[in-house]
Amino acid sequence: MKISRRTFLKISGATAAGTVVGGLGFDLSPAEVYAQELRIKGAKATTTICCYCSVGCGIIVHTDAQGKVINAEGDPDHPINEGALCPKGGSSFQIAVNPNRLQKVRYRAPYSTAWKDVTWEWTLNKIAANIKKSRDESFLPMNADGKVVNRTKGIASVGSAALDNEECWLYQKFLRSLGLVFIEHQARI
Amino acid sequence: MTNHFIDFRNADVILNMGGNVAENHPVSFKWIQAAKDKGGILIHVDPRFTRTSAKADIYVRLRSGTDIAFLGGMIKYILDNNLYDEFYVKNYTNASFIVTPRYGFDDGLFSGYNPSLRAYDAATWTLEKDENGLPKRDMTLQDPRCVFQLLKKHYSRYTLQKVTEITGTPGSDLEKVYHAYATTGAPGKAGTVLYAMGWTQHTVGVQNIRAMSIIQSLLGNMGVAGGGVNALRGESNVQGSTDQGLLFHILPGYLPSTRAQWPTLESYNKTTPTSKDPRSINWWKNRPKYVASLLKSFFGENAKKENGFGYDWLPKLDPDQDASWLNLFDEMYKGTFTGFFAWGMNPACSGAHAGKVREALGKLDWMVNVNVFDSETGSFWKGPGMDPKKIKTEVFQLPCAASMEKEGSISNSGRWMQWRYKAANPPGVAKPDGDIMYELFKKVQALYKKDKGAFPEPILNLKWDYETSGHFDIHKVAKEINGYFVEDIPEHPVDQKAYKKGTLVPNFVYLLDDGRTSCGNWLYSASYTEAGNMAARRKKSDPTGLGLYPEWSWVWPLNRRIIYNRASVDLDGNPRNPNRPLLKWDAAGKKWTGDVPDNAVPPMGATGAYPFIMKPDGVASLFGPGLKDGPFPEHYEPLECPIEKNIMSNQRINPVVKIFEGGPDKYLTCDPRYPFVCTTYRVTEHWQTGVLTRWLPWLIEAEPQMFCEMSLELAKLREIKNGDTVMVASPRGKVEAVAIVTSRFKPFNIAGQTVHQVGIPWHFGWLHPKDGGESANLLTPTIGDPNTMIPESKAFMVNVSKLTKQPAKKPTKS
């Protein structure tokens, strides 16, 4: 995870010099570089890959001493994007820092008009019981031709290309052990 | 992708068709610019003038849904003018293979069609074999039944005049594109094609891509730097999620799903592809090793030779069952399911015919919705037209970590598997998806342990031990996927070396079919070895100078950066393009230099191994008998289209598509009430249904609401002004949009008839922002490609009318 901050500053400094000197008659670039650096001074840099399209751009996420995300920018060392990001990748800071994020487990009871906040423990137990009930009621050991199929008719799943590889693998293992065959996701659409 | 993003810079000609690379994969455009800076040519073919068109050297427009006609014309042009790469076509494709005399094609139908089943019997599409089981060939390409001659015959019908009538592209524009692209048939030139959902979301989606694959094979552009067929995938890990088998028809690593007609592992293994040709490597012959190793990764010690490694415990599809997306929601609509997971997905906006999807969600007993933000799916029960008091569905909404709040890998379109680190904790009680599924399964397993229930074996015997110090550990899953030896191997058959139990396998070549190895996904074997986590590598060496960066991250398979790369060399192993040598045989050292060779056998010579190792015959398929809708791509109209008759034949639509009838599924073609062609697309500032962009202030400010782009001519016809609110309607739904009147769209002249086309983005939904508009998928039909069942969202018919609204009243002063 070696991040060449220097390389990045060199690039941004050069760009700033090229654009700023002409207009004002004096060079603002040292100030700009200083301002840029100040924003993330002392911050911890972590590399990640953009979550949007499939180009796979490198992003550096900066967090402060409290572990809060304070900045996200293109990874200058990444060979694909070389520090550049599109508007979406450049906004990914706002995924981490966003009051609209789901922060609680929510439950909507049948025929209810509102969400209710619930605990993980209660929720996972209830989902597990639902899975068991649906599975046990719909399990099909043999099809109409008398062939062994051992599948669960009553549960389906979609998702997800937004998961990591390891999670995708784990998820299909989970679903197939339950006997699901209706397993689909974004790749189909 | 066969190639990768940086490789765009190695192309002489880049064709972007069925996509809009500048706006939807913006950063990759730097590598297109790099190609252009060296004199490369960018061609953009699209119904709408976009930012890609603005940067293109050649831009031409075509009507949505007519790509095969366009490309069929290009095949004819290449053949008529002898612009194909003769060496490549003869040696590396099936051009010389002889097709059975039973094969035929007449008036839009291939031989073997059964109208009552709406299906073909592909037995009449086979390639002839001699008495030793070797393909019959005519290397002069003159035999009237050889693939080359049949190809020529098939596309002789795609004259410039006919293609123009179908596509609406003027003949001179067609010739401009055909000429420019066909220059890449010279061995020293490379052409690449970049496509996206503009090719896949059609009832002829697979054949669109087949048509281009034929062109790439004719021009010798497969397996070379700057070439290939390159899907610009829409999601950061849709490559990986497909590789990991999150689809009904494939297990991890593209192993076919288990079906009722293969009741035992032995019977499943009997379907392993075979070849009697010693020159065909036929890599899929190794499939039994991958299946046995996969089963070991599922059931661990409980997978034994005696029980077929737990093969019985995997669910089986019926022989011809298609459990894909459209069928899934059709079944849900009919009430087949009581439970449903929408994990990191928003089908209420992303699914074709979203109105049907939303109704279907109300027929469930329970739904689990996992996401970073709320969505139209999680909150469907309070959406427009819904009365929560009448909806029984119990909904669990689980908050998950965003990508920078957890650790794991994703695979980009170029197959680069890149590791992401955790930068921060997720907000509130949100957890990484992996933790949620891990804990949930443990609950299910405990219930079955306690109370038993239906067929508990797969659940009780599942290997579920991915913890370190009491916490879920993603690295353990990564290692499970790579694979390891499950017992000591004193002398491995591959290298006669000893391997210890628990040692990670170096790569999939070491996998065995006898239960002594475990591997969750053979394609990803070599990604996490005793040498470390390969996806996390960040070394920027580039020994070939082609931008392969072999020590940056890791690429499947085996870190091979360009697939089928032995097709880039001649019979002696010398690069056919000396200026961009991807691979070279070092005769003295008896090894290849450059990319990781596909595969490490000596040069082909007169008797050696063919380069296309995943194809049973070892060569690229100009004639492709493996698809449901024919061995050659043929033009058919979309399900809903503006012309009554297909100009190519009497088959208006693809004759083998599945028609969903009744209930909410309505179609109207050539109906005066829905006179305009409509297509959907994305804008730079949003992504998919907008769940991950509509809640971001910077992005929603840039693109705040639903719009409909239309030509100046159509606006005049319908008395619509730029900025007016319009209603876009299809037989399935209505969506309000702001009119963008623009010269980016122009009417088409289709066989003398004026045809208008409009376009709408599919990023919006009722939940947020409040005045942002609704999903474009309320309009799209339930119809899919017969091979993949990908919905036809890129060509359907709508009406557009001006909505006259009362201007808002000014507040009265008191």
Side-chain angles (χ1 to χ4, degrees):
Chain A
M1 261 213 300
K2 279 185 200 155
I3 312 303
S4 163
R5 185 72 205 152
R6 209 160 18 91
T7 320
F8 173 68
L9 291 176
K10 238 181 346 196
I11 297 163
S12 57
T15 316
T19 52
V20 177
V21 177
L24 293 175
F26 57 90
D27 188 358
L28 265 179
S29 58
E32 286 215 350
V33 170
Y34 177 69
Q36 289 252 16
E37 205 176 25
L38 203 59
R39 194 160 45 107
I40 52 170
K41 203 163 188 176
K44 186 183 153 209
T46 308
T47 58
T48 188
I49 303 296
C50 183
C51 67
Y52 291 108
C53 85
S54 63
V55 174
C57 297
I59 293 180
I60 299 174
V61 179
H62 293 102
T63 42
D64 66 12
Q66 285 72 46
K68 193 185 164 209
V69 175
I70 53 168
N71 182 54
E73 64 190 35
D75 179 350
D77 287 338
H78 197 284
I80 295 177
N81 60 311
E82 298 180 324
L85 288 178
C86 79
K88 290 190 292 294
S91 302
S92 48
F93 160 76
Q94 291 192 329
I95 298 176
V97 183
N98 194 315
N100 295 311
R101 280 284 297 274
L102 291 175
Q103 307 197 18
K104 291 174 177 167
V105 185
R106 300 202 290 182
Y107 175 68
R108 185 261 175 186
Y111 309 108
S112 168
T113 56
W115 290 111
K116 192 179 132 195
D117 293 342
V118 286
T119 65
W120 275 114
E121 185 63 14
W122 179 87
T123 306
L124 293 182
N125 281 329
K126 196 155 167 49
I127 297 171
N130 281 357
I131 290 173
K132 185 164 190 304
K133 184 168 185 284
S134 289
R135 182 180 182 274
D136 287 353
E137 283 173 3
S138 71
F139 196 80
L140 190 73
M142 273 188 254
N143 66 8
D145 297 333
K147 295 269 188 326
V148 174
V149 291
N150 285 337
R151 65 173 189 250
T152 298
K153 274 168 61 188
I155 310 177
S157 166
V158 297
S160 172
L163 298 174
D164 290 347
N165 280 316
E166 297 73 25
E167 293 169 334
C168 289
W169 188 86
L170 196 66
Y171 190 46
Q172 63 83 34
K173 180 175 180 177
F174 164 66
L175 298 174
R176 291 193 161 110
S177 80
L178 298 180
L180 265 71
V181 293
F182 282 93
I183 299 171
E184 286 284 287
H185 79 284
Q186 288 94 337
R188 186 75 64 191
I189 54 175
Chain B
M1 279 191 186
T2 55
N3 294 42
H4 61 103
F5 286 102
I6 297 171
D7 186 58
F8 297 172
R9 78 168 199 225
N10 296 319
D12 295 289
V13 183
I14 296 167
L15 171 63
N16 182 205
M17 187 166 170
N20 173 14
V21 59
E23 292 181 67
N24 294 335
H25 297 81
V27 173
S28 76
F29 205 88
K30 69 156 55 202
W31 301 112
I32 296 175
Q33 192 58 49
K36 279 168 64 73
D37 290 346
K38 289 190 294 186
I41 293 169
L42 171 65
I43 304 171
H44 190 220
V45 181
D46 201 87
R48 179 178 61 128
F49 186 91
T50 67
R51 288 182 177 93
T52 304
S53 326
K55 295 291 281 181
D57 299 279
I58 303 170
Y59 165 71
V60 308
R61 58 184 84 239
L62 88 172
R63 170 172 63 100
S64 272
T66 63
D67 302 72
I68 289 174
F70 191 101
L71 298 174
M74 184 162 359
I75 295 171
K76 176 172 160 53
Y77 182 90
I78 291 165
L79 295 174
D80 286 354
N81 296 291
N82 292 323
L83 298 169
Y84 54 92
D85 183 335
E86 193 181 341
F87 168 85
Y88 194 102
V89 166
K90 281 187 176 169
N91 289 287
Y92 299 157
T93 79
N94 67 8
S96 63
F97 287 41
I98 309 294
V99 178
T100 170
R102 296 166 67 202
Y103 167 78
F105 176 83
D106 183 34
D107 193 22
L109 288 174
F110 294 91
S111 48
Y113 186 64
N114 182 330
S116 58
L117 294 176
R118 295 182 59 78
Y120 285 108
D121 175 4
T124 63
W125 305 345
T126 52
L127 297 163
E128 288 200 323
K129 302 273 162 75
D130 68 14
E131 59 283 2
N132 298 316
L134 304 184
K136 286 189 188 169
R137 302 178 74 167
D138 170 24
M139 292 306 279
T140 69
L141 307 183
Q142 296 307 309
D143 189 304
R145 282 196 290 113
C146 80
V147 166
F148 188 78
Q149 292 299 328
L150 293 175
L151 182 79
K152 222 172 181 172
K153 190 177 163 197
H154 191 87
Y155 292 102
S156 64
R157 301 151 52 238
Y158 287 74
T159 60
L160 278 184
Q161 188 202 337
K162 275 205 169 159
V163 174
T164 293
E165 284 180 7
I166 295 167
T167 58
T169 314
S172 56
D173 278 357
L174 291 173
E175 279 190 298
K176 222 191 290 176
V177 174
Y178 295 171
H179 172 75
Y181 200 76
T183 59
T184 65
K189 298 274 182 193
T192 186
V193 60
L194 319 180
Y195 74 92
M197 306 315 282
W199 266 0
T200 58
Q201 289 179 339
H202 290 283
T203 42
V204 290
V206 171
Q207 298 285 11
N208 281 335
I209 295 144
R210 269 277 299 148
M212 193 66 211
S213 305
I214 290 173
I215 292 170
Q216 289 296 69
S217 303
L218 286 173
L219 298 174
N221 282 331
M222 297 304 291
V224 305
V229 172
N230 295 305
L232 303 173
R233 288 173 158 260
E235 303 219 9
S236 60
N237 197 34
V238 74
Q239 181 64 54
S241 55
T242 307
D243 301 336
Q244 307 303 345
L246 264 179
L247 291 164
F248 91 91
H249 70 295
I250 45 169
L251 301 171
Y254 301 92
L255 308 173
S257 286
T258 47
R259 288 183 182 267
Q261 65 271 42
W262 312 314
T264 59
L265 180 58
E266 199 188 0
S267 54
Y268 177 93
N269 280 338
K270 276 193 183 145
T271 64
T272 304
T274 55
S275 170
K276 289 188 176 156
D277 190 342
R279 302 189 66 188
S280 170
I281 289 176
N282 179 33
W283 194 263
W284 276 119
K285 71 180 172 225
N286 295 300
R287 215 179 68 185
K289 300 171 191 168
Y290 308 151
V291 178
S293 301
L294 173 75
L295 287 164
K296 287 297 287 181
S297 77
F298 262 64
F299 303 113
E301 288 175 357
N302 300 314
K304 300 185 175 93
K305 218 171 194 171
E306 306 84 82
N307 64 9
F309 304 117
Y311 180 85
D312 263 5
W313 300 330
L314 286 184
K316 314 286 182 298
L317 291 151
D318 282 336
D320 296 316
Q321 188 180 356
D322 184 305
S324 65
W325 184 279
L326 295 176
N327 287 321
L328 186 158
F329 284 99
D330 199 52
E331 291 294 332
M332 191 186 292
Y333 186 85
K334 290 174 185 159
T336 303
F337 310 123
T338 48
F340 177 58
F341 293 92
W343 201 306
M345 282 217 70
N346 185 18
C349 289
S350 62
H353 200 174
K356 178 179 172 184
V357 171
R358 292 174 188 187
E359 272 191 69
L361 293 174
K363 302 191 176 189
L364 298 162
D365 286 350
W366 56 270
M367 170 171 78
V368 175
N369 175 228
V370 189
N371 222 319
V372 174
F373 292 100
D374 193 9
S375 72
E376 287 73 15
T377 300
S379 286
F380 85 95
W381 44 275
K382 54 176 174 174
M386 298 281 173
D387 179 357
K389 289 185 184 127
K390 290 186 181 147
I391 295 170
K392 67 171 176 185
T393 313
E394 190 178 32
V395 184
F396 303 87
Q397 192 168 52
L398 315 184
C400 64
S403 56
M404 73 283 275
E405 297 158 356
K406 62 182 180 184
E407 215 181 340
S409 73
I410 57 171
S411 301
N412 78 357
S413 240
R415 297 168 285 106
W416 289 28
M417 180 197 191
Q418 305 193 85
W419 196 260
R420 302 198 281 207
Y421 293 90
K422 179 180 169 177
N425 285 322
V429 302
K431 289 183 189 195
D433 300 270
D435 290 62
I436 301 173
M437 48 189 84
Y438 190 71
E439 289 169 31
L440 178 58
F441 181 75
K442 287 213 298 191
K443 299 273 187 199
V444 176
Q445 201 173 36
L447 278 183
Y448 274 89
K449 213 171 261 174
K450 190 163 96 25
D451 302 334
K452 294 292 177 276
F455 198 58
E457 287 83 353
I459 294 170
L460 297 178
N461 290 323
L462 201 71
K463 182 177 176 294
W464 204 255
D465 55 353
Y466 307 113
E467 279 171 53
T468 301
S469 317
H471 293 285
F472 174 66
D473 182 356
I474 203 85
H475 289 268
K476 285 204 164 164
V477 183
K479 289 176 186 173
E480 183 83 270
I481 292 172
N482 179 82
Y484 47 88
F485 298 101
V486 299
E487 57 185 79
D488 287 349
I489 301 199
E491 197 178 275
H492 196 286
V494 168
D495 57 6
Q496 281 73 50
K497 285 186 185 158
Y499 289 92
K500 284 268 170 231
K501 177 181 178 177
T503 304
L504 295 164
V505 295
N507 60 54
F508 54 70
V509 174
Y510 289 82
L511 297 177
L512 302 166
D513 64 3
D514 57 8
R516 289 189 292 164
T517 55
S518 170
C519 173
N521 186 343
W522 72 277
L523 265 187
Y524 280 71
S525 190
S527 65
Y528 205 125
T529 66
E530 294 298 329
N533 181 355
M534 297 293 138
R537 296 183 303 171
R538 285 177 66 92
K539 199 172 163 196
K540 276 174 82 173
S541 58
D542 183 20
T544 60
L546 292 169
L548 302 181
Y549 297 105
E551 293 176 282
W552 183 279
S553 73
W554 182 85
V555 170
W556 70 254
L558 299 173
N559 206 31
R560 186 176 291 139
R561 304 276 157 160
I562 295 177
I563 293 179
Y564 296 130
N565 52 29
R566 269 194 308 121
S568 70
V569 299
D570 63 18
L571 299 181
D572 302 320
N574 295 312
R576 297 189 67 226
N577 179 353
N579 298 320
R580 283 187 292 261
L582 177 60
L583 212 57
K584 189 177 181 353
W585 178 252
D586 169 5
K590 289 201 181 310
K591 61 177 176 38
W592 293 98
T593 57
D595 195 5
V596 176
D598 193 0
N599 156 279
V601 289
M604 187 168 126
T607 55
Y610 298 130
F612 287 84
I613 69 166
M614 303 310 283
K615 307 291 294 178
D617 292 322
V619 292
S621 305
L622 297 176
F623 184 84
L627 296 176
K628 289 189 178 164
D629 45 359
F632 289 130
E634 170 69 7
H635 169 72
Y636 303 105
E637 287 291 325
L639 174 71
E640 292 184 338
C641 73
I643 55 172
E644 305 232 351
K645 193 183 168 306
N646 179 355
I647 290 164
M648 289 308 298
S649 74
N650 280 310
Q651 298 296 323
R652 189 182 69 83
I653 60 170
N654 189 333
V656 299
V657 286
K658 174 179 175 178
I659 307 283
F660 291 80
E661 276 169 313
D665 286 313
K666 298 175 209 132
Y667 317 106
L668 288 168
T669 187
C670 300
D671 187 293
R673 286 170 291 176
Y674 302 100
F676 310 131
V677 179
C678 185
T679 192
T680 61
Y681 44 76
R682 299 183 356 192
V683 300
T684 305
E685 293 79 6
H686 283 296
W687 185 71
Q688 315 301 62
T689 69
V691 175
L692 231 43
T693 53
R694 276 188 271 140
W695 298 94
L696 274 54
W698 293 341
L699 296 174
I700 200 65
E701 183 179 349
E703 287 283 358
Q705 65 200 137
M706 184 67 178
F707 60 80
C708 174
E709 279 186 81
M710 66 189 74
S711 68
L712 306 175
E713 293 82 355
L714 174 58
K716 196 174 167 196
L717 187 74
R718 288 296 169 105
E719 298 180 331
I720 295 166
K721 286 195 204 62
N722 194 38
D724 280 351
T725 304
V726 296
M727 184 67 87
V728 188
S730 83
R732 295 155 295 274
K734 290 177 181 175
V735 172
E736 272 187 39
V738 175
I740 296 183
V741 178
T742 169
S743 53
R744 291 192 291 264
F745 268 117
K746 286 192 191 309
F748 294 101
N749 178 349
I750 305 299
Q753 175 191 339
T754 299
V755 171
H756 294 280
Q757 179 161 354
V758 299
I760 50 177
W762 63 285
H763 302 301
F764 297 97
W766 60 268
L767 183 66
H768 184 81
K770 285 292 167 234
D771 50 359
E774 260 285 20
S775 172
N777 276 316
L778 290 169
L779 308 179
T780 50
T782 309
I783 185 91
D785 174 275
N787 300 289
T788 61
M789 288 299 275
I790 291 179
E792 188 161 64
S793 309
K794 291 290 177 268
F796 54 97
M797 299 301 285
V798 298
N799 189 27
V800 180
S801 52
K802 184 173 170 169
L803 273 184
T804 44
K805 277 193 175 168
Q806 295 295 321
K809 278 184 189 165
K810 282 183 185 170
T812 47
K813 282 178 189 167
S814 58

